[in-house]
Amino acid sequence: MAGSSIGNIFRITTWGETHGRGVGVVVDGVPAGLALNEEDIQKYLNRRKPGQSKFVTARKESDLVEIYSGIFEGKTTGTPISLAVMNTNQRSKDYSALMDIYRPGHADYTFDMKYGFRDYRGGGRSSGRETIGRVAAGAIAAKILKEMGIEILTYSKAIGGIGIDMDRFDKEEINNNPFYMPDAQAAKQVEEYASKMIEEMNSIGGVVECRVNGLPAGLGDPVFEKISANLGKAMLSIGATKGFEIGDGFAVADSNGAINNDNFYMDEEGKIAKRTNHSGGTLGGMTDGSELVFRTAFKPTPSIARPQETVNRQKEDTVIEIKGRHDPIIVPRAVVVVEAMAACTILDALLMNMTARLDKIVEFYK
Amino acid sequence: MAGSSIGNIFRITTWGETHGRGVGVVVDGVPAGLALNEEDIQKYLNRRKPGQSKFVTARKESDLVEIYSGIFEGKTTGTPISLAVMNTNQRSKDYSALMDIYRPGHADYTFDMKYGFRDYRGGGRSSGRETIGRVAAGAIAAKILKEMGIEILTYSKAIGGIGIDMDRFDKEEINNNPFYMPDAQAAKQVEEYASKMIEEMNSIGGVVECRVNGLPAGLGDPVFEKISANLGKAMLSIGATKGFEIGDGFAVADSNGAINNDNFYMDEEGKIAKRTNHSGGTLGGMTDGSELVFRTAFKPTPSIARPQETVNRQKEDTVIEIKGRHDPIIVPRAVVVVEAMAACTILDALLMNMTARLDKIVEFYK
Amino acid sequence: MAGSSIGNIFRITTWGETHGRGVGVVVDGVPAGLALNEEDIQKYLNRRKPGQSKFVTARKESDLVEIYSGIFEGKTTGTPISLAVMNTNQRSKDYSALMDIYRPGHADYTFDMKYGFRDYRGGGRSSGRETIGRVAAGAIAAKILKEMGIEILTYSKAIGGIGIDMDRFDKEEINNNPFYMPDAQAAKQVEEYASKMIEEMNSIGGVVECRVNGLPAGLGDPVFEKISANLGKAMLSIGATKGFEIGDGFAVADSNGAINNDNFYMDEEGKIAKRTNHSGGTLGGMTDGSELVFRTAFKPTPSIARPQETVNRQKEDTVIEIKGRHDPIIVPRAVVVVEAMAACTILDALLMNMTARLDKIVEFYK
Amino acid sequence: MAGSSIGNIFRITTWGETHGRGVGVVVDGVPAGLALNEEDIQKYLNRRKPGQSKFVTARKESDLVEIYSGIFEGKTTGTPISLAVMNTNQRSKDYSALMDIYRPGHADYTFDMKYGFRDYRGGGRSSGRETIGRVAAGAIAAKILKEMGIEILTYSKAIGGIGIDMDRFDKEEINNNPFYMPDAQAAKQVEEYASKMIEEMNSIGGVVECRVNGLPAGLGDPVFEKISANLGKAMLSIGATKGFEIGDGFAVADSNGAINNDNFYMDEEGKIAKRTNHSGGTLGGMTDGSELVFRTAFKPTPSIARPQETVNRQKEDTVIEIKGRHDPIIVPRAVVVVEAMAACTILDALLMNMTARLDKIVEFYK
């Protein structure tokens, strides 16, 4: 079953396993005329490697992206853009220890159940390296959005139960700490807690928040193609995600209508605005012109060094000890992946939305 | 833009506005040979009308479903099944008061922004009646799943901040109270709280939980077509939803790997099982053979009787007072909608999954 | 498998069997703001009933279309338009004679092979009545195209081997004869030949030609979504079609480059034009601004009154005699079906094409 | 607009321009467990380079395919297979002469109209090299079909008006002449005619025929996903195609029902068979178990050396003289492209068809 594509008009198709020849993406439906080079994409990809701290794996990943097609004289041509990050050194490391054993919290068992066998080297297709293709595609989408005045801000909202304090929210701080948190104090606390968890051979989860500004009202569709539904699918398609919420999210369940309804009013510029934004920028599945805000929950890294009870392919109980360095927190690397998937989803909605009104279509073709 | 279809192999396409001629759905990709009649679907649809209590609107909705195609001699033929619930009395009620005004929390404003105008009668396409088509389609999917030994249980997990106590969980109780709660005591509390909120011309939200048992391992796909992602999209495509989580959901963000990883073991029947189910039945986007558990958050009904500040199409500040009876809680009606969308999503994944392995395909065609 | 939808942005989903409750279509992706009523669609549908002559079946088909959704105050709202033609008298005619027998040239055998059984009444889903949904949808597409200055002309090019003489081509004549031929003399010859074939309990085939004028250059896509490929699929999806060609079609195989290349030149209005139109209006899968011309071949009606050798479900040799009146020629009814499918395909390409260039997208959202 | 993918379950996405870094394809939905290596694909690709005669361009195309993903320990894993043929020597040849001029019969003008500019080097995305991705994907599909006992035979039916004589049909001969014709005598005639046309700086077209044996009955769908419609789209999506027909094709227009209907009978093995095969192996859009036969028409190569009248981007009349060697006939290279697209289309139909019957689905999951 073909499950490696997402998007309708702006559609991405990713490929590759962590220990194969490389990973990549074909980005189709990119409008013609965008100035684009490898540097645009590389900058975005580099955000997957925060801080080179002990909280992300130390292994060298050069991750140099190459553009194979779709660009001519520095501009997109409208034809598919093929991007790849090839593995420079194909690691000869012995993964045979993992061949027959099912790591708890990983997809080893489910891969075997679905396909009969699996590429057991480092998670294969389910590795975090699968997100390279997503991020490369997102770099293109984000560049187009920027040309349209749409800005996306993404950061860690909470890690290991330590949340940012909105009173201390500092956009500039995001790139100053290895956790992409907009609150230096919270980042400091996370650092201490994470260090402790590493010592205990444990791992922690967190929440990524994304905010989008500059969107026109009316993006998305009232029924199945709600922008909230498509953002939800995009986020939940990222590995290790367990939840998605928009606006007040699960908190609405405890709220009431008098509070949760965002009252409209005419602002000083004569524009329709909302007093509050409990909705997170969508009403009835369509953007309402206010800030789009959503959050995604990531589970703790399943690869932990302590011994864990499990079973093997031979259906025997056994104990696994996962060797090697693993990120104790997925969240810092996930921030740019969330942003990339948001950019792709929003761009697709922008393109789809051009066909909503007959008068605008007629005008377009005049 | 075509946004009224969902699903790949089992695909549904809904149509209709609340105050139009009727609402309906075309269900395509139904396998041939299923015994099916209108009663099968009507039973499911009737679950949208819980209890006839004061907590759901008193207005008579006969909602009789008709099958227009796709059945011959009592069995599905493999061709599309067209289902409709036609409006018997087309209400002549005057909705002109809503013509120019944007109700807070509703999609009135976003519809106008997208399409230039809207069917302002009772929410038009964004009304709760749009879910009739979903539920009718879900009745078919659920019947097929049942034939395959797959059972879905859906109920209100919490309403207005009052959650069920898992120690008092009683499956039989679900249909005994107007809130579809599996805990009589919690339902009693909700009843009191909801009554108070009605008096205050207010409304409340809640959380619906869904559990699916009997699934084979391996459904879903490792990348964009994760079963969790598709369930998320399906749920977030329901009106008034603001969040989706699977397994421990947002709680994983505060957890750690040693706890969150579900250890595998060989059970007494010689099958691979998990000690816990923090994952909610999926690993790497594919079902792991344990119970699938997910939750969806619904906001409080935006239609409340108290005066609310808002604006009109003429871009003037104004005050709205919404007349007529409205459900103070969306959740009870939403329970069967969640179940229906779950059934459709899971059936589609089951059908897609048949093509994953060459040996099974060769065997199929022998 | 879901096979009853076609189109990406403008997407139609048909349903219904000839002897069921009715037939219909859901048309999704119709831009908002089109003035539309049942009369617009009925006019188009009536073209399926040419001349009430002996060359098309005499049976009364009132075929009154009803609009169930998607229109408000006389205009399309952007939500799906559900259209149905319900059967007023559900025929009680006994079709049991056809229950077990496979009619040569029909889909009886292949339906049984695919689905295990079939609705054997009058062809079920494979009846010509399935095209009602297509034509109803095409009426909407054609009305939009007309608003954009795009005109479609469709007619019988040849029937029973008798082709029109292009020197006698008379557009006005098309609606004057029961064969929709733009050549009165050819129509006369066909009438004689067809009468003879009816007497001999035989049937004849033909070719429908379609010409589209007013198209902008650049519609379609260079690879799989060539406009020629999508028109081909649309035409070949009509029952009884066996061939499709565009421009010079199969004749190009015998031609040479010096003749077949259409030379460009600057016309008197200062526009780029072509000296000839061997290409039929497309180059590299995209429209070139000249007239789009294509043809579709239809086989002779498989239902003929004379005894035919065949087999039954019990796998016995037998002889079939098909009772009742059947059109001896499919072509006249097919003319409007070809036009409808062309309109749907072209409209979809027009909508898709809006997203090809970044500068135009940026301009659109300004 | 995303137009570089085709197929539902078995889906291919091609990328690349002739003078870019390379060309390639991502093949998604390949069932797990197929033994596959680069040699399997290379063999197929090499069929694009018939005979190294003067009838195909002499330029060296090493065209070595590389597999980047989706294979582990020699078998497909069920994840996407990324294939590329990278350009070893990026030609520095000066194409600036073509920058501003529109070659007759090429897509230069339509590209400019759609995208505002184009990669003018050697046709860019519209070059014949785009088919490399198709052929590489087709090699995989064909290998799977072979494992299921399905064989495809493809050859030139006619070139430059010289058709094969079916009485001299010799399957073994196909690979013995540079034209892939199954008739040595016809090939000889073509050779003479083609030589003459080359001298005259002209080019010729032709027809490719494809036959598929071993198909189960019931593949395809009765409405829009007819196997004939999908084959038609697949063939018409190949560059330079102008027509498609199945079975007797356009000849049915001149035939009559008594002849065109294929009578069923019970064969000596007790199987349902047909006396004739005018239908070309499909009835009502589904395979009928007999040989699938279809033809595709290719136009003469538009690149001819003689001076041709045309215009430039500056909207001036001019004359073009195309330098360099060009194949005077597209057909020989197209044979394997037709076969590849047929394999992809048929495999997708086989996979889709697994979900048609409830009893078989239930059986599958037991």
Side-chain angles (χ1 to χ4, degrees):
Chain A
M1 47 179 285
S4 288
S5 298
I6 198 166
N8 287 299
I9 296 185
F10 181 85
R11 182 166 51 202
I12 74 175
T13 302
T14 68
W15 55 266
E17 292 79 36
T18 176
H19 286 59
R21 293 281 305 276
V23 294
V25 64
V26 180
V27 190
D28 201 6
V30 183
L34 175 73
L36 189 76
N37 59 35
E38 277 149 354
E39 188 53 30
D40 291 316
I41 294 157
Q42 194 64 51
K43 271 189 295 184
Y44 224 70
L45 276 178
N46 291 346
R47 288 175 53 194
R48 286 182 71 252
K49 296 179 288 181
Q52 312 306 348
S53 70
K54 66 176 168 180
F55 309 106
V56 296
T57 52
R59 66 171 180 267
K60 268 263 185 51
E61 290 182 2
S62 46
D63 285 359
L64 287 180
V65 72
E66 292 178 275
I67 299 177
Y68 289 165
S69 67
I71 310 285
F72 182 61
E73 297 182 341
K75 286 192 297 182
T76 58
T77 59
T79 63
I81 299 175
S82 178
L83 299 164
V85 172
M86 298 309 281
N87 286 335
T88 41
N89 59 328
Q90 229 159 327
R91 277 151 271 187
S92 52
K93 192 183 151 190
D94 186 11
Y95 277 91
S96 58
L98 292 175
M99 200 173 113
D100 284 339
I101 206 160
Y102 295 136
R103 291 171 299 164
H106 277 281
D108 302 342
Y109 172 63
T110 52
F111 260 93
D112 267 17
M113 286 299 99
K114 184 176 197 75
Y115 298 113
F117 80 118
R118 72 184 190 283
D119 180 345
Y120 49 76
R121 300 166 304 169
R125 181 80 175 133
S126 275
S127 156
R129 282 185 73 77
E130 179 267 330
T131 63
I132 287 177
R134 299 174 184 240
V135 174
I140 299 173
K143 192 167 188 197
I144 293 173
L145 294 183
K146 205 166 185 179
E147 296 227 351
M148 301 176 73
I150 297 164
E151 298 277 353
I152 312 183
L153 185 70
T154 323
Y155 48 83
S156 300
K157 171 93 172 174
I159 294 179
I162 300 158
I164 59 169
D165 183 332
M166 291 310 279
D167 293 336
R168 285 193 305 259
F169 189 95
D170 176 8
K171 192 177 149 178
E172 303 308 317
E173 175 60 28
I174 295 174
N175 294 299
N176 288 343
N177 64 72
F179 307 106
Y180 287 125
M181 293 188 103
D183 170 354
Q185 199 169 313
K188 189 84 199 124
Q189 283 176 271
V190 168
E191 186 164 344
E192 283 163 30
Y193 182 59
S195 297
K196 184 170 150 283
M197 293 306 276
I198 291 174
E199 273 169 50
E200 294 176 11
M201 298 189 292
N202 210 339
S203 62
I204 51 181
V207 174
V208 176
E209 188 164 77
C210 182
R211 298 175 177 207
V212 189
N213 279 281
L215 292 174
L219 299 189
D221 184 271
V223 186
F224 298 117
E225 299 298 314
K226 285 184 167 78
I227 189 129
S228 39
N230 280 333
L231 283 168
K233 173 164 178 170
M235 297 308 139
L236 292 158
S237 79
I238 303 170
T241 54
K242 303 304 285 185
F244 170 86
E245 58 180 15
I246 191 158
D248 286 2
F250 275 87
V252 298
D254 304 346
S255 186
N256 63 63
I259 288 171
N260 191 63
N261 283 352
D262 300 314
N263 291 116
F264 291 108
Y265 73 102
M266 298 307 306
D267 71 9
E268 48 266 52
E269 296 173 34
K271 286 193 195 141
I272 293 174
K274 298 187 327 183
R275 293 277 178 214
T276 49
N277 190 16
H278 298 290
S279 78
T282 81
L283 283 169
M286 295 169 282
T287 53
D288 64 14
S290 57
E291 189 182 56
L292 196 71
V293 189
F294 64 85
R295 284 170 298 285
T296 310
F298 287 85
K299 69 177 186 182
T301 319
S303 291
I304 52 177
R306 62 173 72 178
Q308 297 178 85
E309 175 194 18
T310 193
V311 300
N312 61 21
R313 294 194 78 181
Q314 292 72 40
K315 298 201 166 187
E316 299 159 333
D317 286 311
T318 183
V319 168
I320 188 170
E321 286 184 57
I322 297 171
K323 309 289 186 205
R325 287 226 36 195
H326 293 274
D327 295 1
I329 327 166
I330 290 160
V331 172
R333 280 183 191 276
V335 168
V336 71
V337 183
V338 163
E339 186 165 313
M341 292 306 295
C344 292
T345 306
I346 289 164
L347 176 56
D348 199 34
L350 273 160
L351 299 177
M352 287 299 282
N353 184 58
M354 294 175 73
T355 64
R357 289 172 59 166
L358 184 59
D359 54 354
K360 295 204 174 179
I361 298 165
V362 170
E363 176 71 21
F364 183 93
Y365 276 109
K366 243 174 210 159
Chain B
M1 48 180 283
S4 288
S5 298
I6 199 166
N8 287 301
I9 296 185
F10 181 86
R11 181 165 53 200
I12 74 175
T13 302
T14 68
W15 55 266
E17 291 79 36
T18 174
H19 286 58
R21 291 282 306 276
V23 294
V25 64
V26 179
V27 191
D28 202 6
V30 183
L34 175 73
L36 189 76
N37 59 35
E38 278 151 352
E39 189 52 30
D40 291 316
I41 294 157
Q42 194 64 50
K43 270 188 296 185
Y44 225 69
L45 276 179
N46 291 347
R47 286 175 54 193
R48 286 182 72 253
K49 296 180 289 181
Q52 312 306 349
S53 69
K54 65 176 168 179
F55 308 106
V56 295
T57 51
R59 63 170 182 268
K60 269 264 184 50
E61 290 182 2
S62 45
D63 284 0
L64 287 180
V65 73
E66 291 179 275
I67 299 177
Y68 288 164
S69 69
I71 310 285
F72 183 61
E73 298 183 342
K75 286 192 298 184
T76 57
T77 59
T79 63
I81 299 176
S82 178
L83 299 165
V85 171
M86 298 309 281
N87 286 336
T88 42
N89 59 327
Q90 226 159 329
R91 276 151 273 183
S92 51
K93 193 184 150 190
D94 186 11
Y95 276 92
S96 58
L98 293 175
M99 199 171 113
D100 284 340
I101 205 160
Y102 295 137
R103 292 170 298 166
H106 278 281
D108 302 342
Y109 172 63
T110 51
F111 260 93
D112 267 16
M113 287 299 98
K114 185 176 196 74
Y115 298 112
F117 81 117
R118 72 185 191 282
D119 181 345
Y120 49 76
R121 299 166 304 170
R125 181 79 175 135
S126 275
S127 156
R129 282 187 73 77
E130 179 268 330
T131 62
I132 287 177
R134 299 175 184 239
V135 174
I140 299 172
K143 192 167 188 197
I144 293 173
L145 294 183
K146 205 165 185 179
E147 296 226 353
M148 301 176 74
I150 297 164
E151 299 276 352
I152 312 182
L153 185 70
T154 323
Y155 48 83
S156 300
K157 173 91 171 174
I159 293 179
I162 299 157
I164 58 168
D165 183 332
M166 291 311 279
D167 293 337
R168 285 194 305 259
F169 190 95
D170 176 6
K171 191 178 152 180
E172 303 308 318
E173 174 60 26
I174 295 173
N175 293 299
N176 288 343
N177 63 71
F179 307 105
Y180 288 125
M181 293 188 102
D183 170 353
Q185 198 168 312
K188 190 82 198 124
Q189 284 175 270
V190 169
E191 186 163 346
E192 282 161 30
Y193 182 58
S195 297
K196 182 169 151 287
M197 294 304 276
I198 290 173
E199 272 169 50
E200 295 176 9
M201 299 189 292
N202 209 338
S203 64
I204 50 181
V207 174
V208 175
E209 187 163 78
C210 181
R211 298 176 177 207
V212 189
N213 278 281
L215 292 174
L219 300 189
D221 185 90
V223 187
F224 298 117
E225 300 297 315
K226 286 185 167 76
I227 190 131
S228 39
N230 280 333
L231 283 168
K233 173 165 180 171
M235 297 309 139
L236 292 159
S237 78
I238 303 171
T241 53
K242 301 305 286 183
F244 171 85
E245 57 179 16
I246 192 158
D248 285 3
F250 275 85
V252 298
D254 304 346
S255 185
N256 63 64
I259 288 172
N260 190 63
N261 283 351
D262 301 312
N263 291 116
F264 291 108
Y265 73 102
M266 298 308 305
D267 73 8
E268 48 267 52
E269 295 173 34
K271 286 191 192 141
I272 293 174
K274 299 188 325 186
R275 293 277 179 213
T276 49
N277 189 17
H278 297 290
S279 78
T282 81
L283 283 169
M286 295 168 282
T287 54
D288 64 14
S290 58
E291 188 182 55
L292 194 71
V293 189
F294 63 86
R295 284 170 298 285
T296 310
F298 288 84
K299 70 178 184 180
T301 319
S303 292
I304 52 175
R306 61 172 73 179
Q308 295 179 86
E309 177 195 15
T310 193
V311 299
N312 61 23
R313 294 194 77 182
Q314 290 73 39
K315 297 201 166 187
E316 299 160 332
D317 285 312
T318 185
V319 168
I320 189 170
E321 288 185 56
I322 297 171
K323 310 287 185 204
R325 288 224 39 194
H326 293 275
D327 296 2
I329 327 166
I330 289 160
V331 173
R333 280 184 192 275
V335 167
V336 70
V337 183
V338 164
E339 186 165 313
M341 292 307 295
C344 291
T345 306
I346 290 164
L347 176 56
D348 198 35
L350 273 159
L351 299 177
M352 287 299 282
N353 185 59
M354 294 175 74
T355 64
R357 290 172 58 166
L358 184 59
D359 54 355
K360 294 204 175 179
I361 298 164
V362 170
E363 175 72 22
F364 182 92
Y365 277 109
K366 240 173 211 159
Chain C
M1 49 180 282
S4 289
S5 298
I6 198 166
N8 288 300
I9 296 185
F10 181 85
R11 181 165 52 201
I12 75 174
T13 302
T14 68
W15 54 266
E17 291 79 35
T18 176
H19 287 59
R21 291 282 305 276
V23 294
V25 65
V26 180
V27 190
D28 202 5
V30 183
L34 175 73
L36 190 75
N37 59 34
E38 278 150 353
E39 189 53 29
D40 291 317
I41 295 157
Q42 193 65 51
K43 271 189 295 184
Y44 225 69
L45 276 179
N46 291 347
R47 287 175 55 194
R48 287 183 70 253
K49 296 180 287 182
Q52 312 306 348
S53 69
K54 66 176 168 180
F55 308 106
V56 296
T57 51
R59 63 169 181 268
K60 269 264 186 51
E61 290 183 0
S62 45
D63 284 0
L64 287 179
V65 72
E66 291 179 276
I67 298 177
Y68 288 165
S69 69
I71 310 285
F72 182 61
E73 298 183 340
K75 286 192 297 182
T76 58
T77 60
T79 62
I81 300 176
S82 178
L83 299 165
V85 171
M86 299 307 283
N87 286 335
T88 42
N89 60 327
Q90 226 158 330
R91 276 150 275 186
S92 51
K93 194 184 148 189
D94 186 11
Y95 276 92
S96 59
L98 292 175
M99 199 173 114
D100 284 339
I101 206 160
Y102 295 136
R103 290 170 299 165
H106 278 280
D108 302 342
Y109 172 64
T110 51
F111 260 92
D112 267 17
M113 287 300 96
K114 183 175 198 74
Y115 298 111
F117 80 118
R118 73 185 191 282
D119 180 346
Y120 49 78
R121 299 166 304 169
R125 181 80 174 134
S126 276
S127 156
R129 283 186 72 78
E130 179 267 331
T131 62
I132 287 177
R134 300 174 183 239
V135 174
I140 299 173
K143 192 167 188 197
I144 293 173
L145 295 183
K146 206 165 184 179
E147 296 227 351
M148 301 176 74
I150 297 164
E151 299 276 353
I152 313 182
L153 185 70
T154 324
Y155 48 83
S156 300
K157 172 90 170 175
I159 294 178
I162 299 158
I164 58 168
D165 183 331
M166 291 310 279
D167 293 337
R168 284 193 305 257
F169 189 94
D170 176 7
K171 192 179 151 180
E172 303 307 318
E173 173 61 26
I174 295 174
N175 293 299
N176 288 342
N177 63 72
F179 306 107
Y180 287 125
M181 293 188 104
D183 171 352
Q185 199 169 314
K188 189 84 201 127
Q189 283 176 272
V190 169
E191 186 163 346
E192 281 161 33
Y193 182 59
S195 297
K196 183 170 152 284
M197 294 304 277
I198 290 174
E199 272 170 51
E200 294 176 11
M201 300 190 292
N202 210 339
S203 63
I204 51 181
V207 173
V208 175
E209 188 164 77
C210 182
R211 297 175 177 207
V212 190
N213 279 281
L215 292 173
L219 300 188
D221 185 271
V223 186
F224 298 118
E225 300 297 315
K226 286 184 168 76
I227 189 128
S228 39
N230 280 333
L231 283 169
K233 173 164 178 171
M235 297 308 137
L236 292 158
S237 78
I238 303 170
T241 53
K242 303 303 287 183
F244 170 86
E245 58 179 15
I246 191 158
D248 285 3
F250 275 85
V252 297
D254 303 347
S255 185
N256 63 63
I259 289 172
N260 190 63
N261 283 352
D262 300 313
N263 291 117
F264 291 108
Y265 73 103
M266 298 308 304
D267 71 9
E268 49 267 52
E269 296 173 32
K271 286 190 193 143
I272 292 174
K274 300 188 323 184
R275 293 277 179 214
T276 49
N277 190 18
H278 298 290
S279 77
T282 81
L283 283 169
M286 295 169 281
T287 54
D288 64 14
S290 57
E291 189 182 56
L292 195 71
V293 189
F294 63 86
R295 285 170 297 285
T296 309
F298 288 85
K299 70 178 185 180
T301 319
S303 291
I304 51 176
R306 62 172 73 179
Q308 294 178 88
E309 177 195 16
T310 192
V311 300
N312 60 23
R313 294 194 77 181
Q314 290 73 38
K315 298 202 166 186
E316 298 159 333
D317 285 312
T318 183
V319 168
I320 189 170
E321 288 185 56
I322 297 170
K323 310 290 186 202
R325 286 226 39 194
H326 293 275
D327 294 2
I329 327 167
I330 289 160
V331 172
R333 278 183 193 276
V335 168
V336 71
V337 183
V338 163
E339 186 165 313
M341 293 306 296
C344 292
T345 306
I346 289 165
L347 176 55
D348 199 35
L350 273 159
L351 298 176
M352 288 299 282
N353 184 58
M354 294 175 74
T355 64
R357 289 173 58 166
L358 184 59
D359 54 355
K360 295 204 174 179
I361 297 165
V362 170
E363 175 72 23
F364 183 94
Y365 276 109
K366 241 173 210 159
Chain D
M1 48 180 284
S4 289
S5 298
I6 199 166
N8 287 300
I9 296 185
F10 181 86
R11 182 166 50 202
I12 74 174
T13 302
T14 69
W15 55 267
E17 291 79 35
T18 175
H19 286 60
R21 293 282 306 276
V23 294
V25 65
V26 180
V27 190
D28 201 7
V30 183
L34 175 74
L36 188 77
N37 59 34
E38 277 150 354
E39 189 53 29
D40 292 315
I41 294 156
Q42 194 64 52
K43 270 188 297 183
Y44 225 68
L45 276 178
N46 291 346
R47 287 175 54 194
R48 285 182 72 252
K49 297 179 288 181
Q52 312 306 350
S53 68
K54 67 175 165 178
F55 308 106
V56 296
T57 52
R59 62 172 183 267
K60 269 266 185 49
E61 291 183 0
S62 46
D63 285 0
L64 286 179
V65 72
E66 291 178 276
I67 298 178
Y68 288 165
S69 68
I71 310 284
F72 183 61
E73 298 182 342
K75 286 192 297 182
T76 58
T77 60
T79 63
I81 300 175
S82 178
L83 300 165
V85 171
M86 298 310 281
N87 286 335
T88 42
N89 60 325
Q90 227 159 329
R91 277 151 274 185
S92 52
K93 192 184 151 190
D94 187 10
Y95 277 92
S96 58
L98 292 176
M99 199 173 115
D100 284 339
I101 205 160
Y102 296 137
R103 292 170 297 165
H106 277 281
D108 302 342
Y109 172 62
T110 52
F111 260 93
D112 267 17
M113 287 299 99
K114 184 177 196 76
Y115 298 112
F117 80 118
R118 72 185 190 284
D119 181 344
Y120 50 77
R121 299 166 303 170
R125 180 79 175 135
S126 275
S127 156
R129 281 186 73 78
E130 179 267 330
T131 62
I132 286 178
R134 300 174 184 239
V135 173
I140 300 173
K143 191 167 189 196
I144 293 173
L145 294 183
K146 205 166 184 179
E147 296 227 352
M148 300 176 75
I150 297 165
E151 299 277 351
I152 312 183
L153 184 70
T154 322
Y155 48 84
S156 300
K157 172 92 172 174
I159 293 179
I162 299 158
I164 58 168
D165 183 331
M166 293 308 281
D167 292 337
R168 285 194 304 258
F169 190 96
D170 175 8
K171 191 178 151 177
E172 303 309 318
E173 174 60 27
I174 295 173
N175 294 301
N176 288 343
N177 63 73
F179 307 106
Y180 287 125
M181 293 188 104
D183 170 353
Q185 198 169 313
K188 190 85 198 124
Q189 284 176 269
V190 168
E191 186 163 346
E192 283 161 32
Y193 182 60
S195 298
K196 184 170 150 284
M197 294 304 276
I198 291 173
E199 272 169 51
E200 296 176 8
M201 299 189 291
N202 209 339
S203 62
I204 50 179
V207 174
V208 175
E209 187 164 77
C210 182
R211 298 176 177 206
V212 190
N213 279 281
L215 293 173
L219 300 188
D221 184 270
V223 186
F224 298 117
E225 300 298 314
K226 286 185 167 76
I227 189 130
S228 39
N230 280 333
L231 284 168
K233 173 165 179 171
M235 297 308 139
L236 292 159
S237 79
I238 303 170
T241 52
K242 302 305 285 185
F244 170 84
E245 57 178 17
I246 192 158
D248 285 3
F250 274 85
V252 297
D254 304 346
S255 185
N256 63 64
I259 288 172
N260 190 63
N261 284 350
D262 300 313
N263 291 116
F264 291 108
Y265 72 103
M266 298 308 304
D267 72 8
E268 49 266 50
E269 295 173 35
K271 286 191 194 142
I272 292 173
K274 298 187 326 185
R275 293 278 178 212
T276 50
N277 189 18
H278 298 289
S279 78
T282 82
L283 284 169
M286 296 169 281
T287 53
D288 64 14
S290 56
E291 188 181 55
L292 195 70
V293 189
F294 64 86
R295 284 169 298 284
T296 309
F298 288 85
K299 70 177 184 181
T301 319
S303 291
I304 52 176
R306 63 171 73 179
Q308 296 179 86
E309 177 195 15
T310 192
V311 299
N312 62 22
R313 293 194 78 183
Q314 290 73 38
K315 297 201 168 189
E316 298 159 332
D317 285 311
T318 184
V319 167
I320 188 169
E321 287 184 56
I322 298 171
K323 310 286 186 206
R325 285 226 40 195
H326 294 275
D327 296 1
I329 327 167
I330 290 160
V331 172
R333 279 183 191 275
V335 166
V336 72
V337 183
V338 163
E339 186 165 312
M341 292 306 295
C344 292
T345 306
I346 289 164
L347 176 56
D348 199 34
L350 272 159
L351 299 177
M352 287 299 281
N353 185 58
M354 293 176 74
T355 64
R357 288 173 59 167
L358 184 59
D359 54 355
K360 295 203 174 179
I361 297 165
V362 170
E363 175 71 23
F364 183 93
Y365 277 109
K366 239 171 214 160

